[in-house]
Amino acid sequence: MTADLLFYVAAGSAIGASLVVVLGKNPVYSIVALVASFFSLAVLYLLLEAYFLAVLEVFVYAGAIMVLFLFVVMLLNVGKESGPPMRKRKPLIAVLLAAAFALVLGSAAWTVQGTAYPAPFLGDVRAVGRGLFTVYLFPFEAASLLLLVALIGAVYLAKKTLR
Amino acid sequence: MIVPVEHVTAVSIALFAIGVIGVLVRRNAIVIFMSIEIMLNAVNLALVGFARFHGSIEGQLFVFLIMTLAAAEVGVGLAIIVALYRNRKTAFVDEINLLKG
């Protein structure tokens, strides 16, 4: 019973933190709120029995990606949004579009109903490793190649232009 | 735990819609990028929910690969933003319009 309540609390926290990311004036507030959202999502993964992915979410997203964002924000010294207001013209159209999109997605997704798989299911390191290194070995190796390409690209893009 | 899968999907859809609003409404390139990360995490949540619902591990493997891809994308994307800021001295996307005819 408390696990269910924790699910809704964590879900509300994730949605609230995402709203702060989207609506906050200072980009640093948005970054901190996004870290909070990622931690809430990690709690949700734990409740959905994806233990390895919960830890990975904290390591990769909250630990590495958000630190990169913070570096860039501090480097570019983007403080409070100055000049014209932070929203482009007519935010109402964007909100209506997103609401319509969510409605279409919801009506399609609501066809899948029910609770969990009856047999015990565990998403621990052993299960993920067994799947990743036997059946899905090729996507795993392709992901490593993707990381190499991204590394080369990032180094090249950040070089000073030779004049 | 007896949370039905429609609730997990509803949370995922709400997060995705918030990410879409963030991409469309904000002017700061870094906040737009963060909204894209929100959208990716919404999809991750839906995949994890369905993995538990069907009792198969493939949903979680897909999330693993999405996280890898998101990390690579953030690396390259932030390098692009830094290079853009270096050339245009601004991080606001509606001031970067020199290609406009």
Side-chain angles (χ1 to χ4, degrees), chain B residues 3 21 35 85 97:
Chain B
V3 170
I21 292 177
S35 307
Y85 184 82
N97 54 2

Side-chain angles (χ1 to χ4, degrees), chain A residues 2 10 27 30 47 51 56 58 61 77 79-80 83 85 93 95 111 118-121 126 128 136 147 151 161:
Chain A
T2 42
S30 298
L47 291 169
Y51 305 119
L56 217 61
V58 174
Y61 267 112
N77 200 14
K80 285 169 70 131
I93 298 182
V95 173
T111 57
F121 164 71
R126 173 176 308 184
V128 172
Y136 297 97
L147 283 173
L151 182 66
T161 54

Side-chain angles (χ1 to χ4, degrees), chain A residues 8 22 24 38 114-115 136, chain B residues 5-7 26 41 44 53 58:
Chain A
Y8 294 115
V22 164
F38 288 157
T115 54
Y136 297 97
Chain B
V5 76
E6 311 102 58
H7 295 190
R26 294 296 297 246
N41 273 296
N44 285 355
F53 177 65
E58 272 95 6

Side-chain angles (χ1 to χ4, degrees), chain A:
Chain A
M1 210 47 66
T2 42
D4 286 351
L5 182 62
L6 186 57
F7 178 86
Y8 294 115
V9 167
S13 155
I15 292 180
S18 302
L19 278 173
V20 173
V21 171
V22 164
L23 301 175
K25 279 200 175 34
N26 200 338
V28 181
Y29 290 170
S30 298
I31 288 180
V32 173
L34 195 56
V35 172
S37 174
F38 288 157
F39 271 106
S40 311
L41 274 173
V43 168
L44 285 177
Y45 291 169
L46 280 176
L47 291 169
L48 290 171
E49 293 172 31
Y51 305 119
F52 180 59
L53 283 177
V55 174
L56 217 61
E57 169 101 5
V58 174
F59 278 2
V60 171
Y61 267 112
I65 291 182
M66 294 319 299
V67 171
L68 271 179
F69 269 110
L70 209 52
F71 276 170
V72 171
V73 162
M74 293 305 171
L75 202 66
L76 301 189
N77 200 14
V78 189
K80 285 169 70 131
E81 311 247 335
S82 55
M86 67 168 162
R87 295 172 184 82
K88 304 182 198 166
R89 305 171 299 209
K90 303 190 180 69
L92 188 62
I93 298 182
V95 173
L96 285 177
L97 269 176
F101 181 58
L103 217 62
V104 169
L105 261 185
S107 66
W110 219 258
T111 57
V112 180
Q113 287 176 351
T115 54
Y117 187 64
F121 164 71
L122 211 52
D124 55 354
V125 185
R126 173 176 308 184
V128 172
R130 180 181 299 139
L132 208 52
F133 291 130
T134 54
V135 183
Y136 297 97
L137 183 63
F138 178 69
F140 178 68
E141 300 293 341
S144 77
L145 199 61
L146 173 79
L147 283 173
L148 175 69
V149 168
L151 182 66
I152 295 174
V155 166
Y156 177 75
L157 279 171
K159 270 159 78 102
K160 281 197 162 55
T161 54
L162 301 168
R163 294 212 172 263

Side-chain angles (χ1 to χ4, degrees), chain B residues 6-100:
Chain B
E6 311 102 58
H7 295 190
V8 180
T9 313
V11 174
S12 167
I13 291 174
L15 278 175
F16 195 85
I18 291 174
V20 166
I21 292 177
V23 169
L24 291 176
V25 160
R26 294 296 297 246
R27 292 172 60 232
N28 196 344
I30 300 174
V31 179
I32 293 178
F33 209 1
M34 282 196 273
S35 307
I36 294 177
E37 293 302 316
I38 295 179
M39 288 200 274
L40 282 172
N41 273 296
V43 171
N44 285 355
L45 179 65
L47 277 169
V48 165
F50 285 132
R52 182 169 173 271
F53 177 65
H54 289 295
S56 73
I57 199 66
E58 272 95 6
Q60 301 191 9
L61 295 178
F62 201 172
V63 173
F64 179 87
L65 293 172
I66 291 179
M67 280 189 191
T68 308
L69 191 136
E73 168 203 1
V74 165
V76 174
L78 286 179
I80 290 178
I81 290 179
V82 166
L84 206 58
Y85 184 82
R86 215 186 268 159
N87 278 331
R88 301 264 178 266
K89 296 292 179 292
T90 179
F92 297 129
V93 294
D94 47 353
E95 296 173 15
I96 305 172
N97 54 2
L98 271 185
L99 277 178
K100 207 190 266 187

